[in-house]
């Protein structure tokens, strides 16, 4: 059985049914928790879907979603609002994509993809300060990964990789078709 809480009231729903939640009006907040198996979640500004080997949960007309991984090789996709200027913030154990009228986040997902479809979006990828991590970037994608996590920003016009400690490394790949410039100082490069 699913345990579904609506305004603090708990309801039991058989797991054999696909569960769909409709927030309708107002500002709706949904928290969904995955299983200990491999789960996949996709979050958009107004809806989401969490699925696994034998289940599917969707929510529509919701403005704020938190998805919590329960273990396994979980994968999360966070999509922006193509009409807005949105922000993607990712750390080893959490990631958030937010913009005007929505805020979505995932917790404990080892593989996270933030996806930009337009606007003047920006992504910040932060490392594990206790680990030795890698940042890899090229014009249309960036990835920061280390022990137990891999966070990626796809098609963001601005991406920032942040090292907070450890023996980290960065690779910046140029756009082969254009004229590129690298500016570097001891503590930053762009």
């Amino acid at each position: 059985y699913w345990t579904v809480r609506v305004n603090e009231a708990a309801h039991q729903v058989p797991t054999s049914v696909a569960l769909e939640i409709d927030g309708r009006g107002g500002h709706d907040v949904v928290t969904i928790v995955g299983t200990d198996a491999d789960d996949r979640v996709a979050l958009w500004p107004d809806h989401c879907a969490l699925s696994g080997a034998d289940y599917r949960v969707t929510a529509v007309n919701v403005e704020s979603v938190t998805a919590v991984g329960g273990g396994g090789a979980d994968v999360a996709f966070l999509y922006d609002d193509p009409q807005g200027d949105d922000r993607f913030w990712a750390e080893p154990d959490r990631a958030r994509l937010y913009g005007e009228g929505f805020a979505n986040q995932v917790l404990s997902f080892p593989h996270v993809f933030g996806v930009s479809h337009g606007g003047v979006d920006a992504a910040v990828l932060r490392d594990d300060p206790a680990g030795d991590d890698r940042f890899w970037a090229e014009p249309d994608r960036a990835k920061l990964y280390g022990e137990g996590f891999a966070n990626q920003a796809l098609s963001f016009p601005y991406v920032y990789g942040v090292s907070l400690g450890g023996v980290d490394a960065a690779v910046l790949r140029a756009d082969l078709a254009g004229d590129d410039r690298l500016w570097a100082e001891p503590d930053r490069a762009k």
Side-chain angles (χ1 to χ4, degrees):
Y1 282 90
W2 297 104
T3 299
V4 178
R5 296 185 192 285
V6 178
N7 298 328
E8 302 305 319
H11 306 277
Q12 298 295 314
V13 178
T15 57
S16 60
V17 300
L19 181 62
E20 181 171 309
I21 301 161
D22 188 340
R24 298 188 181 184
H27 181 81
D28 303 297
V29 177
V30 173
T31 300
I32 50 179
V33 180
T35 67
D36 59 359
D38 299 345
D39 300 310
R40 176 185 166 115
V41 69
L43 306 176
W44 291 269
D46 63 348
H47 67 286
C48 69
L50 174 71
S51 60
D54 57 356
Y55 76 93
R56 181 170 174 82
V57 177
T58 59
V60 296
N61 300 312
V62 294
E63 294 76 28
S64 180
V65 177
T66 298
V68 182
D74 298 338
V75 178
F77 292 87
L78 289 85
Y79 296 96
D80 77 325
D81 175 358
Q83 306 304 314
D85 299 334
D86 306 312
R87 302 294 173 258
F88 176 57
W89 183 276
E91 300 179 42
D93 63 344
R94 68 188 65 231
R96 184 171 188 230
L97 199 151
Y98 58 96
E100 187 171 336
F102 79 98
N104 294 324
Q105 69 175 339
V106 295
L107 307 173
S108 302
F109 276 78
H111 306 282
V112 178
F113 297 83
V115 183
S116 171
H117 287 106
V120 184
D121 298 338
V124 175
L125 305 176
R126 294 175 56 132
D127 79 330
D128 177 356
D132 299 334
D133 306 309
R134 303 292 175 257
F135 177 70
W136 171 77
E138 55 186 75
D140 64 342
R141 66 188 65 228
K143 178 178 183 178
L144 200 150
Y145 60 99
E147 182 68 35
F149 78 98
N151 295 325
Q152 296 189 50
L154 305 177
S155 300
F156 279 82
Y158 299 98
V159 177
Y160 304 89
V162 180
S163 172
L164 301 170
V167 181
D168 299 330
V171 174
L172 306 176
R173 296 193 57 178
D175 176 5
L176 298 177
D179 295 330
D180 301 307
R181 293 188 177 105
L182 174 66
W183 171 77
E185 293 184 8
D187 63 344
R188 71 189 77 205
K190 68 176 186 175

